[in-house]
């Protein structure tokens, strides 16, 4: 038995055939074209899902269902997308119903960060803990929370949305964390007029055109110890650390795992975030949690969606 796990992010698309032990037997990866909106993603699914199901047949595997990790708030019981914060056209879209009509398989829709959180809890750095928090720093910033071994989903519309919490920016003005520290926010800062003119590293990477700067270039500049890149890195790490320290104070997780594309910068970022959390922690939290990079990396969302879908398939006696 295999389950099809799909990731629909702000920039990334994945379709993976996997087992509930976390092993994948086949994976397809692509990228979102924001200009084509939800329509472009749905057309990608119409092309790729039958292809992946056919691949399962070639491997003599039966696909039992579909689990989708969607990059935005969802009404999980209804399988309905509420909205994407990055890609237009998803408002109140009945994704579960659409998939079941198109592909004839039971389908379950989850927030991508919730799916990632459960995947990392069951298969990665969360193993052995009772209380766990996951956040992704990617095109957006999300979060997921496990309390007493159970994924917390609030009233069914999601919980743990770290990116939607407010912290002060450098001027003291309150801002959503996602508006300050997401991959898209970092790129916007890099592309702002005049900000990189004194950075020979950035100017070389973008060939003199700051509008071409990307988070990937930001990571390269960090590794080259470019002063402006390090300044941004310090700001991002401190802001994320403040937000995570609030989570630690409120929920007392034993482990906080960080994923998403920006986290691939590595220890130079994670170490700074850890230091910031420790600076802002409440005294009762000291020494009782750890902050680390997630271990599932690119596979985290489809792996979690597969785990959750397997549980729902059993719950509704579909397998």
């Amino acid at each position: 038995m295999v389950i099809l796990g799909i990731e629909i992010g702000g920039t990334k698309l994945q379709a993976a055939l996997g087992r509930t032990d976390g092993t994948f037997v086949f994976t397809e990866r692509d990228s979102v074209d924001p200009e084509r909106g939800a329509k472009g993603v749905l057309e990608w699914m119409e092309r790729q899902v039958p292809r992946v199901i056919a691949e399962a047949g070639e491997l003599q595997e039966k696909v039992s269902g579909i689990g989708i990790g969607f990059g935005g708030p969802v009404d999980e019981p209804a399988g309905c997308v509420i909205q994407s914060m990055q890609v237009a056209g998803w408002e109140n879209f009945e994704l579960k119903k659409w998939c079941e009509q198109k592909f004839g398989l039971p389908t379950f829709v989850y927030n991508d960060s919730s799916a990632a959180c459960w995947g990392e809890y069951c298969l990665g750095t969360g193993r052995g803990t009772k209380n766990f928090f996951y956040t992704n720093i990617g095109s957006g910033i999300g979060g997921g929370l496990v309390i007493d071994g159970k994924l917390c989903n609030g009233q069914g519309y999601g919980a743990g949305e770290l990116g939607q919490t407010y912290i002060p920016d450098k001027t003291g003005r309150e801002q959503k964390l996602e508006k300050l520290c997401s991959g898209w926010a970092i790129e916007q800062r890099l592309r702002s007029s005049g900000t990189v003119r004194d950075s020979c590293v950035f100017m070389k990477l973008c060939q003199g055109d700051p509008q071409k700067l990307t988070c990937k270039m930001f990571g390269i500049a960090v590794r080259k110890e470019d002063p402006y890149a390090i300044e941004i890195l310090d700001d991002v790490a401190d802001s994320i650390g403040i937000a995570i320290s609030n989570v630690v104070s409120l929920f007392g997780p034993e482990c906080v795992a960080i994923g998403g594309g920006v986290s691939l910068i590595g220890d130079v970022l994670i170490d700074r975030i850890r230091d910031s959390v420790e600076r802002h922690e409440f005294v009762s939290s000291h020494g009782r949690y750890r902050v680390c990079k997630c271990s599932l990396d690119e596979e985290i969302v489809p792996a979690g969606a597969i785990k959750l879908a397997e549980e729902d398939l059993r719950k509704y006696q579909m397998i």
Side-chain angles (χ1 to χ4, degrees), residues 13 70 157 222 291 313:
L13 297 168
F70 183 84
Y157 306 104
V222 165
V291 176
L313 286 165

Side-chain angles (χ1 to χ4, degrees), residues 60-71:
Q60 297 185 328
E61 297 276 9
K62 178 185 176 182
V63 180
S64 298
I66 300 173
I68 300 174
F70 183 84

Side-chain angles (χ1 to χ4, degrees), residues 124-172:
T125 57
R127 285 178 293 186
T129 67
K130 290 180 66 177
N131 302 302
F132 173 78
F133 183 75
Y134 166 84
T135 184
N136 62 297
I137 315 167
S139 54
I141 295 178
L145 183 66
V146 173
I147 301 176
D148 199 22
K150 297 179 181 178
L151 182 65
C152 178
N153 194 30
Q155 301 174 54
Y157 306 104
E161 290 285 359
L162 191 70
Q164 304 308 309
T165 62
Y166 285 81
I167 63 164
D169 63 15
K170 292 180 72 173
T171 69

